[in-house]
Amino acid sequence: MKKWIACVGMMAVLMAVVCAGEAVNGNAGSAAPAAASGAVKPDTIRWRPPDEEFLDYYGIGVFETDLPVVHINTEGRRITKENKTRVSVAVTDAGGKAGSVMETPDWGAFATLNYRGASSYSQFDKKQYRMKFYRKEGGTKSKEYEFLGMGKNSEWVLNGPFLDKTLLRNRLVYGLGREIFPWAPDCRYFELFLDGEYQGVYLAIEPVTNGESRLRLCEFGLASGETAYIVKRDRSDSEEAPLYVYGHYAGKTNNELFIDYPTANKITERQRKWITRDIDRFERVLYSNTFADPDDGYATYIDVDQFVDYVVLNEAVMNNDAGNLSTYIYKELGGKLQIAPWDYNNCYDNYQWFAQDYEEIFIRDAAWFSVLLSDRAFVEKVVDRYEDLRAGILSEAYLFDRIDAYVEELGDAVERNYAIWGYTFYDKLMREENEYHFSPADYEEAIGQLKRSIHRRLDYLDTHITDLYAGCIN
């Protein structure tokens, strides 16, 4: 994935930059060559080999794998959600060739690690992590690596599928997103060892951040405070300092918006005020009687086609949270608001607490989208785009082929993963209501349930996507 953005121009007294960007997206491919440039040798970071007794206890034994292997050594330090723990990371990535997990890793790095997630953190045994690489042990300067063959960056999410028994919902939807959006997270499977103990299958994911291989937003702002930015809509108590904007205080939107970029340690008060005014201005237009005006309405503030794609993708995969939770919006300096896909562990009727209604459009009650979907011009774009994608990457044949390919990629790692986490097939983690909603008995049944969910959802949308016109007010 490449994205070219030039930042040019300086004001004589106060720094000012004007940026222009052109994005070119690509598909996730196989892992790149093993060693990462600038990495340290594994013995330098005190690599900890797999615990053979642990492997034998779970009936796994020393094994070979085609997947990359990541070894994290905390040296006895406690991992928490609130604080970052210093760790050593060693990686074996033979580019799809089988190798023993006992072999010396290809490269190593120093990093910090902390837990992430909401329900996954408080309720699931298999933890989710946020990892950041650093130049040296105990250092404060970050270091970018081509982690598992993905674009260079220092920050990564290590997602451990737990509630999702297929292990592939996130992988599937991010892959679709990368074929639809200017930018969507890249991701790779790997097998994780933490302090020598096998943790099963994980997915390394690019978080929605700025950087050369990510959104590539301008790193400089104007003297006025105008800046490129990323904001996230999430639960009201999830972070500090939410934005006080029109949609929130007028009771028009759900949850709250938080600034992710510029980062908390770099953003200026002037930039924060400018971002607040910018979103406030958009929301006042969006929630006005002239919101659909072709010259002065919402279309002057957002990338309409991208918001349309967001509706189509999230409805096709039944993402109940879209628009309200884990929703990332970003804006280039001088550009329009754009939106990025994120967090699909619960898609296709995989929510822990409730069954999804296959005959519902979820996003029409979401912040911003409730208004967008009341405009006939926007709905017409959604209907046309759905039909276009349905003939290609949203066809059942394409989706089922992708699922089968990911299952083949995982190979024997599925069995190893469930040697550790197999109890989740009979623990009551999911609500039990009917044949589509209870926890599957095994991995094969989990894949079958996913495919049935895809069929049911697309079957409904094929005949009811046009029902959106009924909600139009113009």
Side-chain angles (χ1 to χ4, degrees), residues 45-57:
I45 62 163
R46 296 178 293 281
W47 170 59
R48 182 169 178 174
D51 185 330
E52 294 187 49
E53 289 186 5
F54 184 90
L55 292 173
D56 289 340
Y57 176 82

Side-chain angles (χ1 to χ4, degrees), residues 353-424:
W353 307 280
F354 59 88
Q356 285 183 283
D357 184 351
Y358 282 79
E359 300 182 355
E360 180 183 349
I361 303 296
F362 307 104
I363 202 169
R364 59 182 160 196
D365 293 326
W368 296 2
F369 290 94
S370 59
V371 178
L372 294 175
L373 288 168
S374 69
D375 177 35
R376 183 170 296 273
F378 188 86
V379 169
E380 187 171 70
K381 284 179 173 289
V382 168
V383 171
D384 290 345
R385 185 59 166 156
Y386 173 78
E387 293 174 350
D388 176 48
L389 293 175
R390 186 71 173 89
I393 66 173
L394 289 184
S395 68
E396 268 190 31
Y398 187 88
L399 294 171
F400 288 3
D401 282 349
R402 296 314 310 146
I403 291 171
D404 293 342
Y406 292 140
V407 171
E408 183 177 356
E409 179 186 359
L410 287 170
D412 295 338
V414 172
E415 183 178 349
R416 289 189 290 271
N417 180 82
Y418 286 117
I420 305 294
W421 308 111
Y423 66 87
T424 58

Side-chain angles (χ1 to χ4, degrees), residues 205-438:
I205 305 172
E206 293 181 320
V208 186
T209 54
N210 194 31
E212 184 177 353
S213 65
R214 304 277 169 85
L215 294 179
R216 292 205 72 180
L217 302 174
C218 282
E219 296 182 1
F220 305 100
L222 303 180
S224 63
E226 183 175 356
T227 178
Y229 63 82
I230 305 171
V231 294
K232 177 178 66 173
R233 187 177 298 283
D234 221 327
R235 293 177 178 85
S236 298
D237 58 350
S238 60
E239 296 182 27
E240 297 180 355
L243 291 176
Y244 191 65
V245 290
Y246 176 77
H248 172 67
Y249 62 73
K252 304 290 187 180
T253 58
N254 303 314
N255 300 318
E256 291 181 309
L257 290 170
F258 305 90
I259 299 174
D260 261 27
Y261 177 82
T263 55
N265 62 335
K266 291 184 178 180
I267 191 170
T268 66
E269 184 59 28
R270 182 169 289 181
Q271 287 174 326
R272 182 177 178 82
K273 288 180 178 178
W274 188 89
I275 294 170
T276 301
R277 288 195 301 270
D278 193 55
I279 295 176
D280 188 90
R281 186 182 304 113
F282 161 64
E283 290 190 330
R284 286 180 180 276
V285 170
L286 181 67
Y287 292 102
S288 72
N289 293 330
T290 58
F291 76 100
D293 186 282
D295 297 319
D296 301 312
Y298 68 81
T300 63
Y301 294 87
I302 68 171
D303 184 324
V304 174
D305 289 340
Q306 203 176 112
F307 276 70
V308 165
D309 283 343
Y310 187 82
V311 171
V312 173
L313 177 64
N314 283 282
E315 286 306 314
V317 305
M318 302 175 66
N319 180 19
N320 196 80
D321 293 336
N324 285 331
L325 295 172
S326 298
T327 300
Y328 285 87
I329 301 102
Y330 62 98
K331 182 176 180 177
E332 180 55 286
L333 189 61
K336 293 184 178 183
L337 291 169
Q338 296 177 267
I339 194 163
W342 185 252
D343 194 2
Y344 294 96
N345 183 63
N346 296 122
C347 74
Y348 288 123
D349 197 19
N350 197 50
Y351 283 86
Q352 184 179 12
W353 307 280
F354 59 88
Q356 285 183 283
D357 184 351
Y358 282 79
E359 300 182 355
E360 180 183 349
I361 303 296
F362 307 104
I363 202 169
R364 59 182 160 196
D365 293 326
W368 296 2
F369 290 94
S370 59
V371 178
L372 294 175
L373 288 168
S374 69
D375 177 35
R376 183 170 296 273
F378 188 86
V379 169
E380 187 171 70
K381 284 179 173 289
V382 168
V383 171
D384 290 345
R385 185 59 166 156
Y386 173 78
E387 293 174 350
D388 176 48
L389 293 175
R390 186 71 173 89
I393 66 173
L394 289 184
S395 68
E396 268 190 31
Y398 187 88
L399 294 171
F400 288 3
D401 282 349
R402 296 314 310 146
I403 291 171
D404 293 342
Y406 292 140
V407 171
E408 183 177 356
E409 179 186 359
L410 287 170
D412 295 338
V414 172
E415 183 178 349
R416 289 189 290 271
N417 180 82
Y418 286 117
I420 305 294
W421 308 111
Y423 66 87
T424 58
F425 283 113
Y426 51 83
D427 265 19
K428 292 185 178 180
L429 298 175
M430 298 284 288
R431 75 276 182 215
E432 298 184 8
E433 297 183 22
N434 60 51
E435 61 177 316
Y436 296 106
H437 298 147
F438 60 75

